[in-house]
Amino acid sequence: MVRCTSERGPEEQALLRELALQEVFAARQKSRRKGLTALRWVLPVLCAGVAGFCFWYGLRMRGLGRAQMAAAFFAFCAVYVVLALWALPPVRDALTKAGTRIALRRQLRNSPPADDGPIDYFFTETGVETVSAHSRTTNDWSVYRCWGEQGQYLYLRMPTGGVSVLVDRARLSPEEEAELRELLEALPKEEVSY
């Protein structure tokens, strides 16, 4: 059995936010891989085609002496160029990622986590017992989806993607860390591809 005490200070809260973002982005990438990636390029190509047509037709109208019509088509051309750039998958992905990050940070800022004080974790052959000032829970290893490590921390993920156990390896002796890693081998290790 390995016993570890954890306190969720600002560093731990920042890590929990980062792990939540990783889970959101990983789920989004999986769903994208399932879809047809070639279709993601259709809208930018169509917008670029319309922009090219508007530019060509604007030049034609200017050659015919219709300056107002030419200006309108050049304006349409500019709009479609911006739409084509915005619709490019890398640009769209970056904008979506930034928007998701901002929304998640705002949500976490508006609902700060309750400070339960120190949390004690007891890792045994059968599972994990968590004891805080307000609760005591025991979970079998089958409850957890995977485990991972980020910096000096080890964590356990629930099936919903949330991180329920966060252990600072600096608080463990080398023998305790080796025993904990041996217990964690019952679960798959999460490979972060963020």
Side-chain angles (χ1 to χ4, degrees):
M1 178 179 82
V2 178
R3 178 178 188 250
C4 180
T5 301
S6 175
E7 293 191 36
R8 298 211 172 155
E11 183 180 346
E12 287 81 7
Q13 295 299 331
L15 177 62
L16 288 170
R17 277 194 299 271
E18 190 62 33
L19 290 170
L21 282 170
Q22 287 176 0
E23 182 70 16
V24 168
F25 297 140
R28 191 169 282 153
Q29 285 176 346
K30 283 180 190 174
S31 69
R32 233 182 247 131
R33 278 185 233 130
K34 290 179 184 174
L36 298 173
T37 56
L39 290 178
R40 297 177 68 206
W41 290 92
V42 170
L43 184 61
V45 169
L46 287 175
C47 287
V50 171
F53 172 77
C54 288
F55 184 76
W56 170 78
Y57 206 71
L59 288 176
R60 189 167 177 211
M61 288 293 116
R62 191 170 66 183
L64 294 175
R66 296 184 176 167
Q68 289 179 335
M69 288 286 288
F73 276 100
F74 288 141
F76 283 132
C77 175
V79 167
Y80 278 102
V81 165
V82 170
L83 281 175
L85 291 174
W86 174 80
L88 285 171
V91 173
R92 197 172 4 162
D93 291 347
L95 291 172
T96 303
K97 191 181 234 184
T100 303
R101 189 177 293 271
I102 290 168
L104 187 59
R105 283 192 180 137
R106 184 177 297 140
Q107 178 184 1
L108 291 171
R109 194 176 327 127
N110 290 341
S111 59
D115 183 19
D116 288 341
I119 301 170
D120 290 320
Y121 297 114
F122 299 92
F123 299 93
T124 64
E125 295 287 330
T126 58
V128 181
E129 183 178 357
T130 306
V131 180
S132 70
H134 304 291
S135 68
R136 176 184 215 108
T137 60
T138 303
N139 290 321
D140 188 49
W141 286 111
S142 63
V143 170
Y144 301 102
R145 187 182 80 200
C146 62
W147 71 280
E149 50 188 317
Q150 182 93 7
Q152 69 183 29
Y153 294 93
L154 297 172
Y155 60 88
L156 289 169
R157 262 197 213 279
M158 300 295 278
T160 58
V163 173
S164 66
V165 176
L166 186 64
V167 176
D168 187 353
R169 292 187 314 193
R171 293 177 179 245
L172 298 172
S173 70
E175 295 81 23
E176 289 174 326
E177 184 177 345
E179 186 179 346
L180 177 58
R181 284 182 180 275
E182 196 174 295
L183 291 170
L184 292 174
E185 291 301 317
L187 297 171
K189 184 175 180 185
E190 179 177 55
E191 298 299 327
V192 179
S193 61
Y194 173 69

